[in-house]
């Protein structure tokens, strides 16, 4: 949403909020300065509340979060201040725990007007209260029937090779599509249910089988080098998983090296000895194994010396707005350097802006992935023609 269409309330001490309000007004956004919580609560219909934290200030910043939570504030809270970004992240974390919609990246002051505009225009629009709909969770028999009927379908999101900006691989993502072609339930709902009720193995095999049918011809024609898919912790309980997957890829004339298996960092941390043995067996069979959402879990660096991962996927919470965040920049540089020394590929996830992709390329990542390049899509949208080798220019947003 353009900044000129937003309405903002800037809350904080008089000296700190004056300059922020002035910047908002210079950018065409109506901004109201508030030094008291009570007055700011009278303006809760605004799109954005900017909370300016002052160094060595005795005021309790958490009182505003609690007050906004009690009145059910539906807009976005943006934490800002002239201090270490990690301190601001701590303040933002408390706001999230109060149920508020918080901007992912705090605003470190002073900042350039362009940086303020970039962050605020990326904020989601405030939803109208009558548009919020709650969808009841799927039932077991509905999910089992959907798997059997082929309604759990693979969608594909490209991975863009950083060296030449060409799509060389795709990630396979499960989508529940009804008979009318509409998404029935989001993955966060039906994948959790599948894990709980023992259907996750059926979904994994169905996804891989459909993806192999879709993508094997493109891999044989060298339009793609391979694909990747997420494994659940429950999948790793299958002692014969490596044998099953070897048979599936061989049936389509492919090799294990062309199917990368992704597992989240938290899943690795919680893995039991038998599950770790399954991961090792997969690597011995030749399947590349990626650690997904790196930086968000509990495993830290210790698991990298225990499990022979071949790829590290840096989570979007670190890549978004990286060109504006020195802390995230330093963390990513360290992770990429370590991965390179270990001979691992590095994928930067969650790229949503040209500047983010450019910065990650400068750091030396292997691949880029995110909405800036392409959203997940069915096979017909991914590759309209099987004889086309699609290139993605670095300066063009491509919505497949």
């Amino acid at each position: 949403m353009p900044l000129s269409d937003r309405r903002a309330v800037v809350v904080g001490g008089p000296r700190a909020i004056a300059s922020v309000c002035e910047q908002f007004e210079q950018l065409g956004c109506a901004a109201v300065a508030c030094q008291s919580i009570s007055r700011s609560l009278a303006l809760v219909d605004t799109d954005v509340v900017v909370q300016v934290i002052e160094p060595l200030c005795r005021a309790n910043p958490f009182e505003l979060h609690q007050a906004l939570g009690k009145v059910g504030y539906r807009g976005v809270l943006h934490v800002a201040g002239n201090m270490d970004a990690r301190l601001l992240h701590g303040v933002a974390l408390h706001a999230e725990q109060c149920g508020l919609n918080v901007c992912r990246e705090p605003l470190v002051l002073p900042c350039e007007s362009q940086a303020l505009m970039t962050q605020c225009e990326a904020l989601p629009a405030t939803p109208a209260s009558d548009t919020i709909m709650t969808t009841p969770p799927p039932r077991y028999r509905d999910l089992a029937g959907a798997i059997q009927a082929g309604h759990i379908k693979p969608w594909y999101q490209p991975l863009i090779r950083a060296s030449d900006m060409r799509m060389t691989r795709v990630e396979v993502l499960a989508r529940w599509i009804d008979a009318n072609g509409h998404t029935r339930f989001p993955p966060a709902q039906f994948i959790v249910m599948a894990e709980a009720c023992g259907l996750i193995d059926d979904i994994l095999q169905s996804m891989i089988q459909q993806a192999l049918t879709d993508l094997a011809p493109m891999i044989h024609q060298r339009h793609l080098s391979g694909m990747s898919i997420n494994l659940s912790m429950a999948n790793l309980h299958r002692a014969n998983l490596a044998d099953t997957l070897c048979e599936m890829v061989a049936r389509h004339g492919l090799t294990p090296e062309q199917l990368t298996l992704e597992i989240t960092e938290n899943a690795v941390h919680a893995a039991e000895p038998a599950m770790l043995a399954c991961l090792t067996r997969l690597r011995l069979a030749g399947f590349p194994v990626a650690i997904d959402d790196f930086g968000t879990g509990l495993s830290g660096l210790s698991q990298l010396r225990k499990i022979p991962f071949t790829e590290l996927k840096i989570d979007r919470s670190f890549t978004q707005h990286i060109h504006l965040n020195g802390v995230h920049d330093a963390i990513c540089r360290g992770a990429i350097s370590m991965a390179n020394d270990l001979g691992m590929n590095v994928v930067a996830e969650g790229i949503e802006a040209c500047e983010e992709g450019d910065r990650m390329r400068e750091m030396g990542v292997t691949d880029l992935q995110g909405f800036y390049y392409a959203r997940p899509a069915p096979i017909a949208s991914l590759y309209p023609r099987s004889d086309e080798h699609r290139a993605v220019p670095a300066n063009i947003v491509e919505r497949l």
Side-chain angles (χ1 to χ4, degrees):
M1 177 186 288
L3 193 56
S4 57
D5 293 341
R6 292 190 179 276
R7 297 165 300 159
V9 175
V10 184
V11 184
R15 289 179 300 174
I17 65 178
S19 60
V20 177
C21 283
E22 183 178 353
Q23 278 187 298
F24 269 108
E25 290 171 358
Q26 289 174 352
L27 295 171
C29 175
V32 178
C34 289
Q35 298 179 37
S36 67
I37 293 176
S38 58
R39 189 182 174 206
S40 65
L41 293 181
L43 301 168
V44 292
D45 61 336
T46 53
D47 300 295
V48 182
V49 170
V50 180
Q51 182 182 23
V52 181
I53 310 298
E54 296 182 87
L56 305 178
C57 179
R58 295 185 178 181
N60 183 357
F62 304 143
E63 291 179 354
L64 176 63
H65 307 162
Q66 295 162 349
L68 290 175
K70 286 181 180 179
V71 299
Y73 178 62
R74 300 283 303 288
V76 179
L77 177 70
H78 204 346
V79 176
N82 182 12
M83 60 183 64
D84 191 323
R86 290 168 292 183
L87 277 174
L88 297 176
H89 271 290
V91 176
L93 179 60
H94 179 269
E96 286 185 357
Q97 293 171 343
C98 291
L100 298 177
N101 183 17
V102 184
C103 179
R104 183 179 298 275
E105 289 302 323
L107 188 65
V108 179
L109 302 175
C111 70
E112 298 290 336
S113 295
Q114 184 59 45
L116 177 64
M117 177 181 288
T118 299
Q119 290 205 24
C120 289
E121 288 189 343
L123 298 175
T126 305
S129 59
D130 58 356
T131 63
I132 300 297
M133 298 179 63
T134 57
T135 303
R139 296 173 298 181
Y140 172 85
R141 67 171 180 268
D142 293 333
L143 179 55
I147 297 171
Q148 186 174 11
H151 291 316
I152 309 298
K153 297 183 179 295
W155 279 28
Y156 305 99
Q157 185 173 33
L159 277 74
I160 309 302
R161 189 166 55 201
S163 60
D164 58 9
M165 300 307 292
R166 289 189 175 273
M167 178 176 71
T168 57
R169 293 188 291 154
V170 294
E171 181 176 355
V172 182
L173 302 163
R175 295 293 186 267
W176 187 336
I177 308 298
D178 64 21
N180 298 318
H182 301 135
T183 300
R184 185 169 181 188
F185 294 100
Q189 282 191 330
F190 71 82
I191 293 297
V192 171
M193 165 166 274
E195 290 174 330
C197 62
L199 293 173
I200 196 66
D201 283 336
D202 295 333
I203 288 182
L204 177 66
Q205 291 198 49
S206 175
M207 286 300 97
I208 293 179
Q209 181 57 53
Q210 293 181 71
L212 287 169
T213 301
D214 286 342
L215 302 177
M218 301 176 193
I219 296 174
H220 287 307
Q221 295 169 19
R222 299 185 179 179
H223 296 320
L224 293 175
S225 62
M227 62 182 125
S228 62
I229 193 167
N230 287 279
L231 289 184
S232 162
M233 287 182 63
N235 296 133
L236 298 177
H237 285 291
R238 287 188 55 189
N240 65 339
L241 179 61
D243 295 331
T244 300
L245 297 185
C246 283
E247 292 174 4
M248 293 180 75
V249 297
R251 206 176 299 138
H252 289 266
L254 300 180
T255 63
E257 290 80 5
Q258 293 164 314
L259 175 60
T260 299
L261 305 171
E262 300 183 12
I263 182 166
T264 65
E265 187 178 2
N266 270 333
V268 174
H269 175 76
E272 302 166 0
M275 298 163 69
L276 296 177
C278 182
L279 272 177
T280 302
R281 175 72 182 87
L282 289 166
R283 281 295 296 121
L284 290 171
F287 292 98
V289 177
I291 182 166
D292 197 12
D293 300 338
F294 185 77
T296 63
L298 302 172
S299 66
L301 304 179
S302 62
Q303 299 297 348
L304 295 181
R305 63 182 175 85
K306 296 179 182 178
I307 301 172
F309 290 106
T310 58
E311 185 170 279
L312 184 150
K313 302 190 74 174
I314 300 176
D315 186 69
R316 66 192 298 267
S317 61
F318 292 100
T319 61
Q320 284 199 327
H321 303 302
I322 189 169
H323 55 296
L324 303 173
N325 190 311
V327 174
H328 289 182
D329 191 285
I331 292 172
C332 287
R333 278 189 282 111
I336 293 167
S337 176
M338 174 196 64
N340 289 337
D341 289 343
L342 294 174
M344 300 169 65
N345 291 333
V346 182
V347 179
E349 297 183 291
I351 303 299
E352 296 186 2
C354 179
E355 296 85 357
E356 296 166 1
D358 289 346
R359 182 63 188 129
M360 298 309 295
R361 291 180 71 193
E362 291 172 1
M363 290 186 185
V365 300
T366 315
D367 298 285
L368 302 157
Q369 183 178 4
F371 287 178
Y372 176 71
Y373 303 107
R375 292 176 178 269
I379 187 64
S381 299
L382 176 72
Y383 247 106
R385 293 172 51 198
S386 62
D387 62 345
E388 179 183 4
H389 192 180
R390 181 181 300 276
V392 182
N395 61 342
I396 297 178
V397 179
E398 180 169 0
R399 301 292 188 183
L400 297 180

